[in-house]
Amino acid sequence: MVLQCQAAKEKGTHMMKRSFFSVTAPRLQVDSLPGVLPDSVRIETPRQIMLLIEETADNGNAMMLRKGDPVKTGQKISLSTDSKAYAISTVTGTITHIEPFPGESGKQFTAVSVAVSKEADPDESFATYCDSPSLEGAVNLLGCLPGSPAFEIFMDADKPIKTIVINAMDQDLFIITAQYALTAFYHNLTQGIQHLKTITGVEKVVIAAPQDAIQGYGDIGASVMGIDKGYPEGLPHLIAQRVAGHEIPVGKDFQDFGMAFLGVEAVASLGRSFQNKKPARTKMVTFMDKNGNRSLVSTIVGTPIRDILKRFDLGLNDQDRIIIGGPLNGYSTYTDAFPIRPDTDAILLQDKDDVAFVSDYPCINCGDCVRVCPARVPVNMLIRFLEAGQYEEAAENYDLYSCLECGLCSYVCVARIPIFQSIKLAKYELGRAATGEAADE
Amino acid sequence: MNNPKKLIVSHAPFIHIGSSIPQMSLHIILAALPAVILGGMFRFGASAVAVVSFSIATAMLWEIAINLVSKKPVSVGDGNAAVIGLIFAMLLPATAPWWFVLTGTFIAIVIGKQIFGGMGSNPFNPVALAIAILMISWGDFLDFDEMYRHFQFDFIPTYPLTAVKHFGLDAIEPVRLMDLLLGRQIGGIGATFGIGLILGGVYLMIRGFIRWEISLSFLGGVFITALIFNIIDPSRFASPFFHLLTGYTLVAAFFLAPEDSSSPVNFIPMLIYGAVGGMMTILIRNIGAYVDGAILSILLINLLNPLLDKIRPKTLGKVA
Ligand code: SF4
Ligand code: SF4
């Protein structure tokens, strides 16, 4: 059964408008799971998948991969022996392309396309790991499980982790992937938590879950913390603040306070992998078409978006938009060949008529952004410096780095300034300048 | 797949709340209409219609002219020039001569707004600036008693603020609050009809087109200051209700003080800004040289705005 949630349908990406009474800042809520757990729509294994490795193939690293190489299901794929970045093949087949692939926010990936063979041939490395689980093994082998668990942060001896926070809050409007995983994968989640505790030695595990979904987790092996569903309360930064009991100072990260964040689906995938003795490869994705019809899709990591469109008999027109993630903080892609990645929680389609219009107007100082900003950034001042390209000034005096990247300022801006885009660009440029300087030294 | 589509790639967020500058301008104009049409045009007749139309038209023309001269995209479409023209006209007597209006809209649009870089960059409220300069240069044309001399009204044809300033409380003894609310007073075209202005202001506040904090604290400042004077010497100073409903008080509270560019956006600064504006209005009226203090107080708080808006909550995660 295809889930068609009426609430989402009424919203769609075209209908999130200002309410009549607007005395206070608008308050958006992340969606709730429907009362009856929806069946997910399974996407058949495609004929071709694409895996993205977060590394470029051109910086002199010996290429371990060649076109025509065979790969097995569960095999680790990396560009060179000393690469940290890798992908795990979710199919058995033959590599057909290796090419550079531009990612979001200036990231550069290498895309490895694999033609899928009929017979599945499992790789043995995971089975070997199962016999003697360890943190190193997890870092080397499990980082690409659906949900994208980041195990590296447990390796930093200077910043020992005391609390694992499992985030079961969906990160944007419309998305129900995390809540679904929390409810539907209860058993695997319990196993995953157990395994996590074993390999990391961390005893304290907290699940951050929507306020209305915190019942019934008594024996899961973690405490449950109810989080308000008002957006952006579920973003890691605000959750970390609640777990720590104080604000996270600018420039510090969660590890500095002994916290590690993992997505709920990542932990469930871990549990499922151990249960089945083979690495989980199916990702849950909230999929929403142009009319706001929402479905939960289960598909293997690497599935090109076009195969999902095909499953729903959907076409796209020129100027339409594919959004990966949510409407406020996701990103868009230029191609329907873009694959489902381990951390892809949602795919939204947007009709060209609904694409929000951006203007080149200057800020009129209405202050709507200031009132809506969860980080209390003086956005009306910040934007002036960003538009003038004065990034250092923006960072020093106008709190650029306090920004949580929720996107609400752009959402409400009456002058329709792409504020959020400017903020990200400024951070990116400053980051580049900083690493450039470091490299020069 | 064989025929790849050109998809739009742009940055998040991909949805917008739907507000826009033209929409905002439109609603401000709508909110002003009861006061302008029922309070101004019906009361003062065709000359009021002429002043309002001429003011809006010239404001828009000045805007286009300056757009062309500075080779910038034409911005009249955002409605802001029309808003400025309308609010300016609201403060004028219905008998204002054409050149007075023309000069006023020139000051408001060109000097008040565009020289500073256009909408959002003006440190002063363009309309308040225009009125202040005109008041200094040709103050007689803003003398409502003089300007409405040849009109016939079925109420006392004196400007309440002049009356109370020069002739004391006795002069306004017959003035009923109901008269003021119903627009049975002389004054600016859009400034006399209390109920109309209040309705417009409430509409703008609940719809979020103006910041209620500023309007209400301005009115609060007027009320409390006038009340204090009134308590100290009830034989000399008019009641706070009188001050709320006369002169430019209501226009200032709902249409001048909350102008976006020249006012603060943070909560405490908004309250101080409004309250100081209201307080100054009464200080000037009761002990200053001018009949109405609203315009000068607006300019004064505009001046304080950048300073005030530095008072803001500590940003998240900011150390020290
Ligand atoms: S994206 Fe905008 S609203 Fe959100 S935290 Fe950053 S500055 Fe504030
Ligand atoms: S919402 Fe837009 S126009 Fe309003 S103050 Fe913020 S940046 Fe300026």
Side-chain angles (χ1 to χ4, degrees):
Chain A
M1 188 199 86
V2 176
L3 156 77
Q4 297 197 342
C5 171
Q6 196 56 33
K9 194 164 179 171
E10 276 159 16
K11 285 182 205 157
T13 55
H14 50 298
M15 292 273 302
M16 291 292 298
K17 295 306 177 210
R18 182 189 180 99
S19 56
F20 186 83
F21 295 103
S22 305
V23 180
T24 52
R27 208 163 148 65
L28 302 177
Q29 295 240 320
V30 294
D31 282 347
S32 298
L33 269 189
V36 179
L37 206 59
D39 290 331
S40 60
V41 178
R42 226 178 66 90
I43 309 290
E44 294 296 311
T45 303
R47 288 210 303 257
Q48 174 111 26
I49 64 158
M50 186 195 267
L51 302 166
L52 295 182
I53 303 177
E54 209 177 324
E55 186 177 15
T56 46
D58 54 33
N59 50 12
N61 46 12
M63 287 279 290
M64 289 214 317
L65 300 177
R66 298 255 181 284
K67 223 167 124 167
D69 282 356
V71 291
K72 295 180 179 179
T73 308
Q75 182 180 332
K76 178 175 173 177
I77 299 179
S78 53
L79 296 185
S80 74
T81 36
D82 36 63
S83 296
K84 284 225 166 61
Y86 62 90
I88 297 286
S89 180
T90 48
V91 295
T92 302
T94 316
I95 295 179
T96 56
H97 297 88
I98 304 169
E99 57 204 350
F101 197 89
E104 76 282 5
S105 329
K107 284 186 196 145
Q108 288 299 330
F109 296 123
T110 301
V112 178
S113 302
V114 180
V116 182
S117 359
K118 292 229 167 51
E119 304 297 317
D121 186 4
D123 185 82
E124 293 308 315
S125 38
F126 184 76
T128 322
Y129 168 78
C130 282
D131 295 339
S132 56
S134 70
L135 198 50
E136 287 79 11
V139 172
N140 278 323
L141 212 54
L142 302 181
C144 296
L145 287 182
S148 227
F151 291 108
E152 306 85 59
I153 51 174
F154 293 98
M155 303 286 283
D156 189 341
D158 295 339
K159 297 177 182 176
I161 300 298
K162 297 191 196 71
T163 310
I164 296 174
V165 184
I166 300 178
N167 194 353
M169 295 299 292
D170 284 296
Q171 297 297 294
D172 206 332
L173 313 183
F174 305 156
I175 308 180
I176 51 174
T177 304
Q179 297 173 68
Y180 181 87
L182 176 66
T183 316
F185 304 151
Y186 181 90
H187 180 62
N188 287 155
L189 189 57
T190 316
Q191 293 169 312
I193 291 170
Q194 203 44 55
H195 185 72
L196 258 182
K197 287 181 175 173
T198 312
I199 61 171
T200 61
V202 177
E203 270 310 309
K204 189 171 171 212
V205 181
V206 179
I207 300 179
Q211 197 77 64
D212 54 5
I214 55 171
Q215 301 302 326
Y217 295 95
D219 49 1
I220 202 164
S223 58
V224 182
M225 177 181 244
I227 304 289
D228 192 309
K229 299 179 80 162
Y231 181 81
E233 295 297 330
L235 294 189
H237 192 104
L238 294 180
I239 293 176
Q241 184 174 316
R242 301 203 35 201
V243 173
H246 55 75
E247 289 184 7
I248 309 296
V250 174
K252 297 272 182 197
D253 39 35
F254 312 145
Q255 290 110 285
D256 290 315
F257 296 94
M259 284 179 280
F261 269 73
L262 292 172
V264 64
E265 201 182 358
V267 181
S269 298
L270 195 64
R272 181 149 29 100
S273 305
F274 276 94
Q275 181 187 320
N276 300 340
K277 294 274 183 280
K278 57 184 185 194
R281 50 184 199 136
T282 311
K283 177 80 184 84
M284 299 305 302
V285 178
T286 302
F287 175 76
M288 193 150 142
D289 71 13
K290 289 190 211 170
N291 299 318
N293 299 312
R294 184 169 59 186
S295 316
L296 261 170
V297 163
S298 82
T299 188
I300 61 167
V301 170
T303 307
I305 290 173
R306 77 165 84 87
D307 287 86
I308 300 177
L309 299 185
K310 235 187 282 165
R311 168 66 180 75
F312 288 93
D313 274 329
L314 294 171
L316 285 174
N317 299 319
D318 275 348
Q319 321 278 310
D320 284 352
R321 186 149 59 184
I322 299 178
I323 298 163
I324 297 166
L328 290 172
N329 62 36
Y331 54 95
S332 56
T333 173
Y334 64 94
T335 170
D336 61 3
F338 200 94
I340 298 299
R341 288 160 61 188
D343 62 353
T344 306
D345 280 344
I347 303 289
L348 315 178
L349 304 184
Q350 191 173 41
D351 191 78
K352 68 170 192 302
D353 294 335
D354 302 326
V355 169
F357 161 80
V358 170
S359 89
D360 52 3
Y361 243 75
C363 167
I364 65 160
N365 201 48
C366 69
D368 284 351
C369 51
V370 176
R371 276 184 291 281
V372 84
C373 176
R376 302 184 296 270
V377 172
V379 189
N380 64 325
M381 298 305 295
L382 177 67
I383 189 66
R384 284 159 213 259
F385 290 88
L386 296 184
E387 292 197 328
Q390 297 171 353
Y391 297 153
E392 275 96 9
E393 174 82 12
E396 240 158 68
N397 295 333
Y398 297 101
D399 307 330
L400 174 66
Y401 284 110
S402 291
C403 168
L404 310 175
E405 310 205 345
C406 70
L408 284 175
C409 46
S410 292
Y411 170 71
V412 300
C413 178
V414 66
R416 306 203 174 190
I417 302 170
I419 312 170
F420 185 33
Q421 180 173 5
S422 300
I423 289 176
K424 283 200 139 184
L425 179 70
K427 286 184 179 175
Y428 175 74
E429 291 292 339
L430 286 175
R432 246 177 31 153
T435 46
E437 273 163 28
D440 287 346
E441 274 164 20
Chain B
M1 181 177 165
N2 26 17
N3 181 13
K5 298 292 182 196
K6 289 195 197 65
L7 300 176
I8 290 281
V9 180
S10 58
H11 210 283
F14 304 105
I15 52 175
H16 190 271
I17 194 164
S19 61
S20 69
I21 298 175
Q23 179 211 40
M24 194 168 89
S25 301
L26 180 73
H27 285 277
I28 293 178
I29 291 173
L30 280 179
L33 287 185
V36 172
I37 295 179
L38 299 177
M41 296 179 172
F42 280 152
R43 181 80 57 203
F44 305 117
S47 44
V49 179
V51 168
V52 172
S53 324
F54 190 63
S55 180
I56 296 177
T58 52
M60 290 168 70
L61 286 175
W62 287 125
E63 177 102 348
I64 295 177
I66 202 98
N67 287 157
L68 294 179
V69 172
S70 62
K71 300 202 170 58
K72 291 235 185 81
V74 173
S75 55
V76 271
D78 64 25
N80 182 248
V83 168
I84 290 180
L86 178 62
I87 298 178
F88 176 68
M90 289 167 78
L91 305 180
L92 298 180
T95 49
W98 65 269
W99 60 266
F100 192 77
V101 180
L102 186 72
T103 316
T105 50
F106 173 83
I107 301 174
I109 296 289
V110 180
I111 301 178
K113 171 179 155 188
Q114 290 293 355
I115 280 188
F116 295 105
M119 201 177 174
S121 305
N122 49 296
F124 294 104
N125 182 309
V127 174
L129 190 74
I131 293 284
I133 292 180
L134 292 175
M135 207 152 68
I136 294 166
S137 317
W138 298 284
D140 291 349
F141 290 95
L142 289 168
D143 178 341
F144 293 102
D145 293 310
E146 200 51 39
M147 295 305 284
Y148 287 117
R149 201 149 43 104
H150 302 295
F151 275 63
Q152 294 291 325
F153 296 108
D154 58 354
F155 51 84
I156 313 154
T158 47
Y159 189 48
L161 286 180
T162 330
V164 76
K165 180 139 206 140
H166 298 311
F167 308 107
L169 283 188
D170 292 345
I172 55 160
E173 167 58 35
V175 177
R176 305 261 158 274
L177 287 183
M178 211 41 179
D179 288 341
L180 302 178
L181 279 170
L182 291 174
R184 292 164 55 79
Q185 58 171 323
I186 63 169
I189 295 170
T192 58
F193 182 28
I195 292 179
L197 285 166
I198 293 169
L199 282 180
V202 169
Y203 176 77
L204 290 178
M205 289 193 294
I206 61 169
R207 296 291 319 265
F209 292 115
I210 59 173
R211 318 207 251 274
W212 60 269
E213 296 91 336
I214 295 178
S215 299
L216 294 189
S217 58
F218 186 92
L219 293 175
V222 166
F223 188 88
I224 290 173
T225 317
L227 183 66
I228 294 173
F229 273 102
N230 187 246
I231 289 173
I232 291 174
D233 191 349
S235 64
R236 263 180 68 206
F237 300 113
S239 85
F241 294 104
F242 173 84
H243 280 292
L244 282 181
L245 297 173
T246 51
Y248 293 151
T249 308
L250 291 173
V251 185
F254 296 126
F255 294 91
L256 297 179
E259 194 263 340
D260 286 318
S261 176
S262 52
S263 62
V265 301
N266 290 297
F267 185 66
I268 304 279
M270 287 195 279
L271 296 185
I272 302 178
Y273 172 92
V276 170
M279 193 179 80
M280 287 307 299
T281 301
I282 296 302
L283 285 181
I284 297 176
R285 282 184 188 179
N286 281 354
I287 51 179
Y290 291 91
V291 170
D292 191 354
I295 295 298
L296 292 180
S297 337
I298 295 286
L299 294 177
L300 177 88
I301 52 178
N302 286 167
L303 209 60
L304 294 180
N305 162 39
L307 216 66
L308 285 176
D309 226 7
K310 286 208 162 58
I311 311 171
R312 56 181 174 86
K314 192 173 74 67
T315 312
L316 193 72
K318 182 109 168 161
V319 246

